[in-house]
Amino acid sequence: MLTLTGADRILIDPQTERGGTLSVGPDGRIAAEPSADPDAVPLDVSGCVVTAGLVNAHHHLLQSGFRTLPGTRGAAMRDWLPAMAGAYAAAGIDASLTRATAAVGVAESLLSGVTTVADHQLNWPAPGESADPVAETVEIARAISAAAASLGARLVFVRGSARDDPALAAASADAIIDDLLPRGHVGGVTDDGMRQIAVGPAGVHSDGEATFRALGEVAARHGVRRRTQANEQVDTEIALARYGRRPLDLLEEWGWLAPDVTIAHLCDVTPDEIDRLAAAGVSATHAPGCDVPMGWGIAPVARLREAGLRVGLGTSGGGSNDAGHLLADARLAMQISGLVGPQLPARAVLGMATEDGAVGLGRADLGHLRVGARADICVWDVSGVADAGVADPVAGLLWASPGRRPRHVVVGGRVVVRDYRLVGHDEHAIVAALRARLQS
């Protein structure tokens, strides 16, 4: 068991701010009463803000090995996509590559306060490279899952597609779900909440109706959630050129505007489209750290939220963002929000980075510090010079100290980062393993 103790601190979730002692029960959930267990491990959080673990609702972990590549910075997506694909092909996508890149991406996530990572894995071995392509995709999914499990992070693995054969994508998704989830799972989540499976094409710019319908049938058959990307500027351009229609028109026709669907980006949306998304019960994910520096647009988050959408926050991948630091992107989300509507307040964006992102994953057990929640906790030291003079330590958590990292991170009651270092893992060894794989 674990008990958080200390003076002069703030506990915050999207609905409640309070002080006092926070205890974690033996089931890894927040307990109603302080622990009376003499063996409970204390974690001193004096002078800190304590939040729920951050939820990165949209990442591409593979890209953690392919940052700042020539020809990929500030590039149009029509140029960026083939540049990234060429780098993946040169490295050779297999389980060894995805395990190494996932380990780097997940370690970076934990060290920056992210306890749950949704990994939209879109890239797979090229057709003809494997005697059993379905089995190889299962090995890749296992490798990513194993990397997250070893480090102690929660993983939402999204079996994505980008120009895949529809039948192969569906067969692979079926096999991955059967392999990584127990029978009788609820919502694609393991009993301990550490692993979740979802499905989703990259978007209408890469996948057609057959793929969307095939993966939609997989989701319905297994009771898992669906995720995709839509309405970045190039997505709209391609949809209009190819189909003469906008992306959300296609998604609606293909059965992908529904309460079990989360859509990332949504930069180029009209007021009517926002109303349709809200009426359909879709949730959204804002990815400013990808969309803004690449020049792909800015999602009108305030308008989406006013319409009733739950909007989570994601970093997207290292190939467009170069970082997996969700709190830094929360700061960016506040900074740019005034360009497309009213400025977002810090508490709203903190909610996007925690509970709202969890809701989009179908995870009511994550993203808050209420009794019975999974004990995913971040401890942020706000006692140093970077926070001096800050009147509101919660707003300062996002506004002050860009690049802030948590002192401690707890996942399910287990301390996985202590005093800014991974527990039980050598950060430099993780980096060396990726470097060795890329050079092999």
Side-chain angles (χ1 to χ4, degrees):
M1 296 180 67
L2 182 71
T3 300
L4 278 66
T5 62
D8 189 27
R9 65 192 175 91
I10 295 175
L11 284 165
I12 181 165
D13 67 27
Q15 296 184 12
T16 305
E17 294 180 44
R18 59 186 177 86
T21 297
L22 187 151
S23 293
V24 178
D27 60 352
R29 293 179 182 266
I30 295 173
E33 300 293 338
S35 172
D37 185 348
D39 296 324
V41 178
L43 195 64
D44 184 7
V45 296
S46 299
C48 297
V49 171
V50 180
T51 70
L54 306 184
V55 176
N56 189 338
H58 185 66
H59 204 332
H60 303 289
L61 290 173
L62 176 64
Q63 294 178 19
S64 300
F66 302 91
R67 312 192 217 207
T68 68
L69 295 178
T72 65
R73 312 320 315 142
M77 193 180 291
R78 65 182 62 84
D79 301 319
W80 179 83
L81 287 169
M84 295 298 295
Y88 301 151
I93 298 175
D94 61 12
S96 66
L97 177 67
T98 57
R99 177 152 192 162
T101 52
V104 165
V106 171
E108 179 186 20
S109 297
L110 289 172
L111 287 166
S112 56
V114 171
T115 55
T116 300
V117 181
D119 175 31
H120 201 169
Q121 170 66 20
L122 297 172
N123 303 95
W124 307 91
E129 289 185 356
S130 171
D132 189 342
V134 170
E136 185 162 10
T137 64
V138 172
E139 287 301 314
I140 287 171
R142 283 179 182 169
I144 295 169
S145 179
S150 174
L151 287 157
R154 298 190 194 276
L155 175 73
V156 182
F157 179 80
V158 186
R159 199 304 177 186
S161 64
R163 301 181 179 87
D164 293 6
D165 174 79
L168 175 59
S172 165
D174 276 328
I176 288 169
I177 292 168
D178 288 340
D179 188 79
L180 293 181
L181 291 179
R183 292 186 182 276
H185 66 83
V186 177
V189 183
T190 56
D191 290 344
D192 61 3
M194 295 299 293
R195 182 191 305 138
Q196 181 177 355
I197 309 296
V199 298
V204 302
H205 60 272
S206 67
D207 296 287
E209 179 177 1
T211 301
F212 275 91
R213 291 200 180 277
L215 288 179
E217 290 168 2
V218 171
R221 187 160 55 248
H222 293 280
V224 302
R225 291 187 63 84
R226 297 179 286 169
R227 304 180 68 82
T228 191
Q229 306 171 117
N231 288 63
E232 289 172 303
Q233 291 168 350
V234 72
D235 189 56
T236 304
E237 293 170 7
I238 292 174
L240 288 170
R242 187 175 297 163
Y243 301 100
R245 302 172 69 189
R246 289 174 61 83
L248 294 182
D249 296 328
L250 298 167
L251 292 181
E252 185 171 34
E253 179 181 310
W254 299 345
W256 276 69
L257 294 191
D260 67 318
V261 174
T262 301
I263 302 177
H265 302 298
L266 292 176
C267 300
D268 175 33
V269 285
T270 67
D272 173 69
E273 288 174 333
I274 293 173
D275 291 341
R276 287 162 56 197
L277 290 167
V282 170
S283 57
T285 307
H286 185 32
C290 159
D291 293 327
V292 172
M294 297 299 289
W296 295 343
I298 302 173
V301 174
R303 279 182 280 165
L304 292 167
R305 286 166 54 88
E306 288 167 3
L309 276 80
R310 297 297 286 265
V311 183
L313 193 66
T315 60
S316 199
S320 57
N321 187 328
D322 299 315
H325 196 303
L326 195 69
L327 200 67
D329 284 5
R331 186 176 192 269
L332 178 62
M334 293 190 301
Q335 290 176 312
I336 64 171
S337 59
L339 299 175
V340 291
Q343 187 175 73
L344 296 169
R347 282 167 174 75
V349 179
L350 181 61
M352 290 168 57
T354 51
E355 188 166 17
D356 289 340
V359 168
L361 299 173
R363 298 297 299 274
D365 54 332
L366 302 178
H368 54 85
L369 296 178
R370 296 184 284 280
V371 172
R374 306 267 186 188
D376 296 357
I377 300 163
C378 288
V379 178
W380 310 89
D381 190 335
V382 295
S383 63
V385 293
D387 292 284
V390 168
D392 178 352
V394 177
L397 182 66
L398 275 67
W399 279 117
S401 189
R404 183 193 303 274
R405 286 170 59 162
R407 178 191 287 178
H408 311 303
V409 178
V410 178
V411 180
R414 173 190 169 197
V415 180
V416 295
V417 173
R418 185 186 292 272
D419 293 325
Y420 305 101
R421 293 183 177 275
L422 296 169
V423 174
H425 294 272
D426 181 350
E427 182 177 346
H428 299 291
I430 293 170
V431 174
L434 174 60
R435 184 180 298 116
R437 171 57 182 82
L438 292 174
Q439 293 174 349
S440 64

